[in-house]
Amino acid sequence: MKYVALMLSSVLVGVFLASLGIVNSYIYVLIALLILGFMTEIGNINENLLIQRITPENTRGRVFALRSTIDDSLRPFSYAFAGIMATFFSLKSLFLVFGIITSILGIFYLFIPYQMKKRNVS
């Protein structure tokens, strides 16, 4: 139960992302984007904390550098993919579908501690 904030933030990001595909209110979109940014940062902070706790001190810099390199190198591909998807589908449907996918993955993340405890993995 140590990393529940990381898992719950994934679920909430998915819920608010999906809601952007449903709602037409400008004020709601601003509030939802504010909450999305906040929840994303909660997830990132907990993810960095998790990596710091698991990674040995002498390799921590390399692990974070590799993570940053992978993130930065895949970003252009995600932008290209999003652009291609936006030409075929409406933005509302994309927000809805990817929000639902993110929420489902977040729900699966919630079961990870249970499975680790069940298998006696620490």
Side-chain angles (χ1 to χ4, degrees), residues 3 7-8 18-19 25 33 35 39 49-50 61-62 64-65 67 80 83 93 100 109 115 117 121:
Y3 306 105
M7 298 165 213
L8 284 178
S19 71
S25 170
L33 289 175
I35 293 171
M39 288 295 137
L49 180 66
L50 179 63
R62 292 183 211 145
F64 278 107
R67 182 175 174 261
S93 63
I100 290 170
Y109 287 156
Q115 290 295 327
K117 186 175 182 181
V121 177

Side-chain angles (χ1 to χ4, degrees), residues 3-33:
Y3 306 105
V4 174
L6 175 64
M7 298 165 213
L8 284 178
S9 69
S10 298
V11 174
L12 289 175
V13 164
V15 167
F16 281 102
L17 192 62
S19 71
L20 290 177
I22 298 171
V23 189
N24 288 327
S25 170
Y26 181 70
I27 298 297
Y28 178 81
V29 169
L30 287 176
I31 292 169
L33 289 175

Side-chain angles (χ1 to χ4, degrees), residues 19-79:
S19 71
L20 290 177
I22 298 171
V23 189
N24 288 327
S25 170
Y26 181 70
I27 298 297
Y28 178 81
V29 169
L30 287 176
I31 292 169
L33 289 175
L34 178 73
I35 293 171
L36 271 168
F38 184 71
M39 288 295 137
T40 301
E41 287 308 309
I42 288 176
N44 286 339
I45 289 168
N46 283 311
E47 187 177 328
N48 286 336
L49 180 66
L50 179 63
I51 291 172
Q52 285 178 354
R53 287 187 178 176
I54 292 174
T55 307
E57 192 172 329
N58 60 342
T59 60
R60 197 171 293 152
R62 292 183 211 145
V63 169
F64 278 107
L66 177 65
R67 182 175 174 261
S68 176
T69 301
I70 291 171
D71 180 43
D72 292 342
S73 63
L74 291 178
R75 189 170 294 140
F77 295 108
S78 68
Y79 291 158

